[in-house]
Amino acid sequence: MSDFASLLVGFQTALSTYHVALMIGGVLLGILVGVLPGLGAPNGVSLLLPLTFSMDPVSAIILLSSMYWGALFGGSTTSILFNIPGEPSSVATTFDGYPMAKAGKPTEALATAFSAAGFGALVGVVLVTLLANSIAGIALRFSSPEYFAVYLLAFCSFIGMGSGHPLKTAAALLIGLSLAAVGMDTVSGEMRLTFGYDPLVKGVTFLVAVIGLFGIGEILITVEQGLKFDGIHAKIDLATVFRTMAGMPRYWLALVRSTLIGCWMGITPGGPTAASFMSYGVARRFSRRPERFGSGEPEGIISPEAADHSAGVSALLPMLALGVPGSATAAVMMGGLMIWGLQPGPMLFTEQHDFVWGLIASMYLANVVAVILVLATVPLFSAILRVPFSIIGPLIVVVCLTGAYTVSNSMFDVVLALIFGVVGYVFKKLDYPIAPLVLAMVLGDKAEDAFRQSMILSNGSLGIFWSTAIAGTLTTLAFALALWPLLSRLIGWMSARRVPV
């Protein structure tokens, strides 16, 4: 009941004229970010973040989260109409969304995608509403060993449950942890990994890294591929939209199953991309008509969209309650909270009550706004995509480099963004995941501090991470997830070698 009362207070905050205007503006910006290949939600949010420094935290997080929801919907639009995923998490939507649109049913494809996405997002917000205070209450009992166990679990979850190769994911995490160590040691005050170069004393700003990795890196990949926009003209027919939405209950099993997969992958840092691929694969495995997947099957659109959006929303739960982001975009938002002077974690719910519940209430409203606006603006954004990439590409690069400069008004950050752009390009070419690197950069300092404090408390004994039930459970689960890829291969090998009796 107290959660319901807190939510009503949050709605009073979110329903102000100013905040509703921020939601509409954020969603529109997000849709634009989502439909333009080379940007994407993490980069779009990081570009917008410097503009929020003068805003109060509630308004700032509403603007950023609304942009996030809009980007998720925008990525679906280009996947269906152009066979170009504006977001990595929208790749699976192209498998059946584009064939359905190409078959003369673009409105049905878009309405199916947005209905499933809206359902998944709504369930994700309800989950955040119901569980946020409970998880925060448990986390209030945490000390440094428990916090390190949580951070270790986040890192190991990417290794065990991520879509990338486990060794490549581990390498990306280690690179991120190394970058997080650049600058002043928070315990001893000594300089680390600066190599005598003064601009590195302040460390590597994660915003600059994200702009380079997700923005410049994607542009380099796009240029190499010689991307040409060749899409389907779409006009939204409201009668068809309502008819498609009315027929959604017949796919209730796919909706519920995909939403549950998405919520799980959002809370455990698998992320929206892994959730959408996993959901599509499960839907095809258990479908009565698996042969129709890839040719415009509605379940092939519903499954990745519901999982994508439920994972995107659920990823904010561990970020708010535990200080552990469940996706790359959540990691960028967490960095924003820290810049605004807010400390993500259980104390956030007691010290910043209005902030937390204003954000949760805005999630309900912004996702409704996103569904309405994305349907209304499909013709506009499909027209934008017909602008030659030779014009759009340079504009995106200018926006990225301007955003990097505004972080601290430093040309060194612009150079760093370009370097990270090359790193992002190399990561993409070698199929290394970028999200673990960003996560490690955000959490690296906090994980190191928690580990060193634990070692001081225990006089150097690692047994402190099993000294309490919570720490021991989390640490054991973390190692189990890290070893899971190896164990699963071993089990598969043993099953293959087993001789039938």
Side-chain angles (χ1 to χ4, degrees):
M1 194 65 184
S2 61
D3 287 354
F4 182 70
S6 299
L7 184 61
L8 290 180
V9 173
F11 273 113
Q12 290 178 358
T13 302
L15 278 172
S16 69
T17 304
Y18 176 56
H19 287 154
V20 171
L22 284 179
M23 287 179 209
I24 294 173
V27 166
L28 287 173
L29 283 171
I31 295 172
L32 178 60
V33 163
V35 301
L36 292 177
L39 283 178
N43 193 44
V45 171
S46 64
L47 287 173
L48 198 61
L49 191 54
L51 303 180
T52 66
F53 292 164
S54 60
M55 301 169 64
D56 67 276
V58 175
S59 302
I61 197 68
I62 286 177
L63 177 63
L64 294 182
S65 61
S66 298
M67 186 177 188
Y68 183 20
W69 316 139
L72 291 176
F73 281 100
S76 305
T77 303
T78 56
S79 294
I80 291 170
L81 295 182
F82 292 85
N83 202 28
I84 300 169
E87 287 282 310
S89 58
S90 299
V91 172
T93 305
T94 63
F95 299 159
D96 282 276
Y98 184 68
M100 181 183 286
K102 199 172 181 181
K105 298 189 285 186
T107 302
E108 288 92 328
L110 290 168
T112 300
F114 299 151
S115 300
F119 178 84
L122 178 61
V123 174
V125 179
V126 171
L127 183 73
V128 172
T129 305
L130 296 177
L131 296 184
N133 266 337
S134 301
I135 293 178
I138 294 172
L140 283 172
R141 297 156 52 188
F142 281 22
S143 59
S144 53
E146 284 81 8
Y147 273 114
F148 177 74
V150 169
Y151 301 139
L152 182 64
L153 179 62
F155 298 146
C156 293
S157 295
F158 269 103
I159 295 174
M161 303 187 67
S163 56
H165 191 281
L167 291 179
K168 291 182 177 181
T169 302
L173 284 168
L174 291 174
I175 293 172
L177 290 172
S178 300
L179 291 170
V182 174
M184 182 180 292
D185 182 355
T186 56
V187 176
S188 67
E190 296 180 357
M191 295 300 152
R192 305 184 299 186
L193 302 178
T194 60
F195 306 103
Y197 192 59
D198 290 342
L200 287 175
V201 170
K202 63 183 177 62
V204 178
T205 307
F206 85 98
L207 271 179
V208 175
V210 167
I211 289 171
L213 291 168
F214 288 102
I216 307 297
E218 287 291 340
I219 286 293
L220 292 175
I221 289 288
T222 303
V223 169
E224 182 188 46
Q225 292 174 345
L227 183 60
K228 179 184 178 183
F229 297 139
D230 185 17
I232 296 166
H233 293 269
K235 291 184 178 180
I236 297 299
D237 176 11
L238 288 180
T240 304
V241 170
F242 290 129
R243 187 169 59 251
T244 302
M245 290 182 173
M248 290 298 288
R250 85 180 83 161
Y251 302 108
W252 68 270
L253 181 59
L255 273 170
V256 173
R257 180 181 59 218
S258 302
T259 300
L260 292 177
I261 291 174
C263 288
W264 170 250
M265 295 297 284
I267 294 174
T268 61
T273 303
S276 62
F277 277 101
M278 179 183 292
S279 182
Y280 185 87
V282 170
R284 185 170 186 173
R285 170 67 178 80
F286 290 101
S287 175
R288 295 178 181 177
R289 304 175 297 184
E291 71 283 353
R292 296 187 60 175
F293 276 69
S295 60
E297 171 65 23
E299 283 192 35
I301 302 174
I302 290 169
S303 297
E305 284 297 305
D308 177 6
H309 287 252
S310 58
V313 174
S314 301
L316 296 187
L317 176 59
M319 185 268 282
L320 291 172
L322 300 174
V324 178
S327 68
T329 309
V332 176
M333 288 187 184
M334 179 175 162
L337 296 185
M338 297 165 70
I339 291 172
W340 302 327
L342 302 179
Q343 185 60 45
M347 294 305 295
L348 192 68
F349 285 76
T350 55
E351 296 175 352
Q352 301 290 337
H353 183 270
D354 291 345
F355 170 84
V356 172
W357 288 100
L359 168 60
I360 293 175
S362 75
M363 291 182 189
Y364 287 94
L365 300 173
N367 275 291
V368 174
V369 170
V371 173
I372 296 171
L373 287 180
V374 76
L375 285 170
T377 56
V378 162
L380 171 63
F381 287 112
S382 62
I384 289 176
L385 277 172
R386 289 183 171 82
V387 176
F389 186 76
S390 58
I391 297 175
I392 291 180
L395 285 176
I396 294 175
V397 173
V398 170
V399 170
C400 289
L401 296 182
T402 303
Y405 179 79
T406 56
V407 171
S408 57
N409 295 326
S410 169
M411 281 303 298
F412 177 69
D413 286 340
V414 175
V415 175
L416 271 184
L418 292 172
I419 293 172
F420 276 108
V422 175
V423 173
Y425 170 80
V426 173
F427 266 49
K428 288 282 186 180
K429 293 296 290 183
L430 299 179
D431 199 25
Y432 276 75
I434 296 176
L437 187 152
V438 175
L439 177 77
M441 287 190 68
V442 173
L443 292 183
D445 285 341
K446 297 162 71 70
E448 181 186 6
D449 289 346
F451 179 79
R452 293 170 75 172
Q453 289 167 9
S454 301
M455 291 296 95
I456 292 171
L457 288 173
S458 66
N459 292 320
S461 173
L462 293 175
I464 193 172
F465 299 117
W466 284 271
S467 60
T468 66
I470 295 176
T473 301
L474 292 174
T475 304
T476 303
L477 182 59
F479 282 114
L481 284 174
L483 294 174
W484 174 245
L486 181 62
L487 292 175
S488 61
R489 289 189 178 186
L490 181 61
I491 292 171
W493 179 78
M494 292 177 65
S495 299
R497 298 272 296 178
R498 186 178 301 157
V499 179
V501 179

